[in-house]
């Protein structure tokens, strides 16, 4: 397998909370016949706690430590099996420089799911399981802070249409090998 082919077999979705990473990753993985991995789910499973519980009981620094640990594991698994996968990262995963470096070292392709802030606000205000959604002002601030990080992704795809069309847009990037398994 050439390094090029390998590169295209680890695709990670990044983007702000509420941008649809988990939903799109699931659909994309199923369209490609690839494995889908959700980093937040891994963290919750490994700790036996929900993400809000981790933030409330252990604090954000501990959450970041666990997030890094699970990312290291996930990449190790990928390198062992080289099974192609679509990973949905957490909204803050690549904001940690060591995580971004690790993803790059392992040849991950990063796709930023871009979503207008007003849409993100609307979605996140209705969902109570996001510990970093405190109020509108801090949400907007964090979004602005994170934007330069998301702009480091290899590709940007707008998530402003129905999920199936977003998946089509990703498939149309032309980054996937013809033979997917
Ligand atoms: C976070 C986003 C969350 C989750 C945690 C921290 C962030 O994931 O990882 O609450 O720092 O933006 P989603 O982006 O899937 O909501």
């Amino acid at each position: 397998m050439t390094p090029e082919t390998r590169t295209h077999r680890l695709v990670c979705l990044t983007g702000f909370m509420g941008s649809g990473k988990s939903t799109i990753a699931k659909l994309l993985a199923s369209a490609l016949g690839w494995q889908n991995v959700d980093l937040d789910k891994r963290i919750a499973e490994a700790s036996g706690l929900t993400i809000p519980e981790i933030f409330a009981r252990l604090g954000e620094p501990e959450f970041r430590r666990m997030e890094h640990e699970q990312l290291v594991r996930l990449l190790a698994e990928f390198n062992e099996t080289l099974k192609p996968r679509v990973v949905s990262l957490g909204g803050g995963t690549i904001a940690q420089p060591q995580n971004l470096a690790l993803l790059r070292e392992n040849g991950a392709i990063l796709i930023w799911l871009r979503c207008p802030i007003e849409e993100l606000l609307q979605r996140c205000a209705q969902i109570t399981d996001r510990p970093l959604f405190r109020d509108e002002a801090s949400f907007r601030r964090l979004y602005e802070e994170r934007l330069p990080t998301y702009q480091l992704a290899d590709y940007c795809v707008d998530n402003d249409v129905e999920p199936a069309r977003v998946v089509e847009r990703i498939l149309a990037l032309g980054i996937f090998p013809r033979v997917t398994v």
Side-chain angles (χ1 to χ4, degrees):
M1 188 180 296
T2 64
E4 195 61 0
T5 318
R6 197 184 132 181
T7 293
H8 293 167
R9 288 174 168 243
L10 178 61
V11 169
C12 299
L13 301 190
T14 184
F16 206 60
M17 55 187 118
S19 59
K21 299 179 293 291
S22 303
T23 307
I24 301 297
K26 217 179 282 169
L27 290 173
L28 178 64
S30 131
L32 289 162
W34 289 14
Q35 210 176 37
N36 171 222
V37 185
D38 186 304
L39 187 58
D40 273 351
K41 260 196 200 148
R42 286 281 183 107
I43 299 165
E45 278 163 15
S47 63
L49 297 170
T50 64
I51 303 297
E53 282 169 348
I54 298 172
F55 271 76
R57 294 189 200 172
L58 311 172
E60 183 169 350
E62 177 59 11
F63 171 79
R64 296 298 169 200
R65 193 199 60 74
M66 294 163 108
E67 182 179 48
H68 180 70
E69 183 177 275
Q70 289 307 316
L71 185 65
V72 169
R73 287 201 182 170
L74 193 156
L75 292 169
E77 270 169 37
F78 172 72
N79 285 321
E80 255 167 49
T81 63
L82 289 183
K83 276 202 185 131
R85 51 198 77 188
V86 180
V87 179
S88 52
L89 300 171
T93 310
I94 67 163
Q96 310 297 310
Q98 72 274 30
N99 291 340
L100 182 58
L102 200 61
L103 286 160
R104 294 257 186 253
E105 279 160 28
N106 284 275
I109 289 275
L110 285 167
I111 301 176
W112 171 27
L113 273 189
R114 186 169 58 183
C115 207
I117 177 81
E118 303 306 329
E119 176 79 30
L120 294 170
L121 256 169
Q122 218 174 35
R123 286 186 201 165
C124 291
Q126 287 162 9
I127 306 165
T128 52
D129 68 350
R130 288 204 165 80
L132 290 182
F133 182 79
R134 297 190 186 103
D135 54 70
E136 184 175 332
S138 66
F139 189 82
R140 285 181 186 275
R141 256 198 320 273
L142 187 61
Y143 177 81
E144 290 301 324
E145 242 175 69
R146 293 262 179 90
L147 270 183
T149 307
Y150 299 138
Q151 284 161 354
L152 297 174
D154 303 291
Y155 298 92
C156 171
V157 170
D158 283 312
N159 186 3
D160 56 357
V161 286
E162 63 192 75
R165 288 202 46 217
V166 179
V167 171
E168 279 170 18
R169 283 177 179 170
I170 297 176
L171 293 172
L173 292 172
I175 56 173
F176 298 99
R178 270 175 225 282
V179 178
T180 55
V181 187

